[in-house]
Amino acid sequence: IDQLGLGWRSHLLACGFGGEIIERDDCIVVRSPSNPTYYWGNYLLFERAPGPGDARRWPMLFDQLIAANQPLSTHRAFGWMEDASGDVDEFLADGYSQNNAVVMQSTDLPLVPAPTIDAQLQPFALDGAEAESAWSALVELSVATRDPQYGEAGYRSFARQHVASWRA
């Protein structure tokens, strides 16, 4: 894990709360048993970009290492540390979508004044009837603002578990 870039390390740190991170020789397994429908809480992270044959091998590994233990993890998500696009054509032909996330980092950021916005801040209720309403509203906001590629029912299940982990 020490060789990972800041983006992957940050992501693993967040997944580590209530999740499992297993280092293997061929990949890092990230599982969130409490939220099996969380796409980027249940994935395999490889050192190198995909090559020939990985479009068959990686899904089989996902099924073996994640879905076999968590039947509700019906998605398959993969990442790689190598800064290369890799051979993704077979994955795309099999119906996968590609997410080209970029992480920017700096050790020297200039101080910039915060923008002035008209906002009302209030404490988030943690207990009681008011809390149930606030946490439910947070789930509903998450569902309402989800990426349209995710179906509402599956995403709602993920959002409930994700918000429950924040609440815990």
Side-chain angles (χ1 to χ4, degrees):
I1 291 180
D2 294 336
Q3 76 276 15
L4 294 176
L6 181 61
W8 285 117
R9 282 196 325 259
S10 298
H11 194 264
L12 288 178
L13 175 67
C15 290
F17 296 114
E20 302 170 346
I21 299 169
I22 303 161
E23 290 184 73
R24 293 171 37 108
D25 290 338
D26 54 350
C27 66
I28 296 173
V29 181
V30 179
R31 288 192 299 230
S32 297
S34 65
N35 199 352
T37 61
Y38 179 14
Y39 279 38
W40 288 106
N42 298 284
Y43 68 96
L44 300 179
L45 178 60
F46 295 90
E47 187 173 326
R48 61 171 180 75
D54 287 336
R56 292 187 213 275
R57 189 175 72 80
W58 288 9
M60 288 188 316
L61 268 175
F62 186 96
D63 290 347
Q64 173 192 353
L65 300 172
I66 295 177
N69 299 303
Q70 301 173 179
L72 294 177
S73 294
T74 58
H75 69 283
R76 291 189 186 118
F78 311 107
W80 55 89
M81 298 173 253
E82 182 181 15
D83 188 16
S85 58
D87 184 5
V88 298
D89 291 341
E90 281 186 76
F91 284 97
L92 297 174
D94 286 343
Y96 288 86
S97 59
Q98 188 172 0
N99 177 343
N100 293 320
V102 175
V103 175
M104 296 188 300
Q105 66 186 44
S106 175
T107 56
D108 185 30
L109 293 175
L111 291 177
V112 178
T116 303
I117 59 172
D118 184 20
Q120 249 185 1
L121 301 177
Q122 60 188 38
F124 204 84
L126 297 177
D127 297 311
E130 186 180 334
E132 295 309 316
S133 175
W135 290 108
S136 292
L138 185 55
V139 169
E140 293 307 314
L141 177 64
S142 181
V143 170
T145 58
R146 75 189 184 283
D147 188 311
Q149 74 177 352
Y150 303 114
E152 182 175 340
Y155 196 86
R156 183 174 301 283
S157 174
F158 153 73
R160 279 191 198 113
Q161 291 301 318
H162 203 62
V163 167
S165 71
W166 290 343
R167 188 174 185 179

